């Protein structure tokens, strides 16, 4: 093949600092209010765009995809592939592209790894073809293949509402040490949402109070409001979630919470030594298969 251009993109994991469910749509999607924060733990995507246009019967022939992870689909079912296909179909693109995904974000962990990969593809295709599609339009396309994708396209820190498509950028979490620990189990997002009982008198997290605390750089005001209504389903089934949270609290975290539909737990630390102590203790107890010390992404 002739000339080509290359591009590398980081796809950041997200954490939910707060997660509320306020209703359900007829099609099973839930209405949420969540505070999303990108963290420095990331996948990396490598793109090569070939310069020669090709006439093909199906756009899929223009996209090649591979990944170093054996835990996710390496074909057209991958969200990164789906995002590329949608961009190619929407904008009538004809040049072949190669996408390689280096996976670091744990899979089915509540960290939106797949959505973040897809978001990186939307941005990369937009840049490589110099399409100048506005971010809002990319987000509109993104939500058709996954409800966390609009946030991942926007990035940093946001209040997410509706089914995840209504996003308001908010003040990022102040710099701190974030210990992320994923227990050795995978939770199916759909299963957790389906088993949530949100008809009764559920305690709703103080989402607005947390937004305000972030604006005031009041990190203790943020961690005091840590809440995720999906913990009621996940914690019941897996003791590791509670055990990791307890360990983080014993090691002086300001707060510890399950992210998304789980099972990953994260804790906020002001002091790096305390984060390292919690890391060591979780490792020793054998209650997590992946542990990271990371930081918020704020610029
Ligand atoms: P969320 O926090 O948005 O609920 P998650 O972290 O729980 O997401 P993911 O790791 O994004 O879950 O993966 C969910 C499912 O999507 C997996 O079953 C996986 O097979 C599939 N998938 C498709 N493409 C990808 C990808 N690029 N990375 C990870 N998973 C992918």
């Amino acid at each position: 093949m002739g000339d080509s251009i290359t591009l590398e993109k980081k796809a950041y994991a997200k954490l939910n600092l707060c997660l509320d469910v306020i209703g359900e749509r007829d099609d099973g999607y839930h209405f949420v209010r969540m505070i999303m924060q990108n963290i420095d733990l990331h996948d990396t995507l490598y793109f090569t765009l070939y310069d020669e246009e090709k006439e093909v019967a199906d756009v899929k022939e223009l996209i090649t995809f591979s990944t170093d992870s054996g835990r996710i689909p390496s074909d057209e079912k991958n969200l990164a592939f789906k995002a590329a296909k949608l961009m190619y179909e929407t904008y009538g693109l004809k040049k072949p592209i190669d996408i390689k995904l280096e996976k670091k974000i744990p899979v089915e962990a509540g960290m939106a790894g797949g959505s973040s990969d897809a978001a990186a593809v939307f941005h990369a295709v937009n840049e490589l073809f110099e399409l100048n599609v506005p971010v809002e339009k990319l987000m509109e396309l993104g939500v058709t293949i996954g409800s966390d994708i609009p946030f991942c396209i926007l990035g940093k820190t946001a209040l997410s509402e509706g089914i995840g498509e209504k996003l308001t950028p908010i003040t990022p979490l102040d710099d701190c040490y974030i210990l992320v620990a994923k227990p050795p189990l995978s939770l199916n997002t759909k299963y957790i949402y389906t088993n949530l009982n949100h008809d009764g008198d559920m305690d709703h997290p103080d989402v607005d109070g947390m937004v305000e605390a972030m604006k005031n750089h009041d990190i203790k005001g943020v961690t005091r409001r840590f809440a995720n209504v999906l913990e009621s389903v996940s914690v019941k089934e897996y003791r590791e979630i509670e055990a990791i949270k307890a360990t983080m609290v014993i090691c002086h975290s300001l707060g510890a919470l399950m992210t998304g539909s789980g099972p990953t737990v994260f804790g906020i630390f002001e002091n790096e030594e305390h984060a390292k102590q919690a890391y060591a203790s979780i490792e020793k107890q054998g209650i997590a298969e992946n542990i990271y010390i990371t930081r918020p992404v704020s610029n």
Side-chain angles (χ1 to χ4, degrees), residues 22-169:
I22 57 172
E24 189 176 351
R25 234 164 53 171
D26 291 343
D27 59 6
Y29 272 98
H30 288 76
F31 293 115
V32 292
R33 295 194 80 220
M34 323 187 273
I35 295 182
M36 323 278 276
Q37 171 70 55
N38 269 151
I39 52 170
D40 197 29
L41 172 64
H42 60 83
D43 293 342
T44 309
L45 291 97
Y46 301 91
F47 300 88
T48 306
L49 182 70
Y50 297 96
D51 204 25
E52 236 168 278
E53 293 202 343
K54 264 174 80 175
E55 287 303 329
V56 289
D58 188 331
V59 289
K60 283 189 236 166
E61 294 170 41
L62 295 170
I63 305 161
T64 52
F65 174 81
S66 58
T67 175
D68 63 348
S69 167
R71 299 189 61 172
I72 54 169
S74 57
D75 57 9
E76 59 199 62
K77 285 196 216 72
N78 198 288
L79 281 165
F81 192 105
K82 286 187 186 174
K85 181 167 167 270
L86 185 55
M87 285 297 276
Y88 269 64
E89 284 168 349
T90 308
Y91 297 103
L93 308 176
K94 295 205 162 69
K95 292 178 185 174
I97 195 165
D98 176 64
I99 305 170
K100 289 191 170 51
L101 166 61
E102 203 176 276
K103 198 83 195 147
K104 286 274 173 346
I105 305 172
V107 176
E108 290 193 334
M111 288 193 274
S115 303
S116 192
D117 297 337
V121 172
F122 280 108
H123 281 301
V125 173
N126 197 24
E127 281 171 45
L128 286 165
F129 283 91
E130 297 179 18
L131 299 172
N132 293 317
V133 179
V135 167
E136 295 72 29
K137 176 67 192 171
L138 294 180
M139 286 159 59
E140 257 173 50
L141 288 172
V143 77
T144 65
I145 53 174
S147 55
D148 273 347
I149 296 178
F151 166 72
C152 295
I153 289 173
L154 185 70
K156 289 181 205 164
T157 318
L159 170 65
S160 167
E161 295 171 292
I163 61 157
E165 84 293 359
K166 234 183 98 191
L167 291 159
T168 313

Side-chain angles (χ1 to χ4, degrees), residues 14 19 100 182 220 236 247 257 292:
K14 65 86 184 159
L19 194 159
K100 289 191 170 51
K182 181 189 174 280
K220 289 188 176 132
K236 236 189 287 167
T247 305
L257 190 70
Y292 311 88

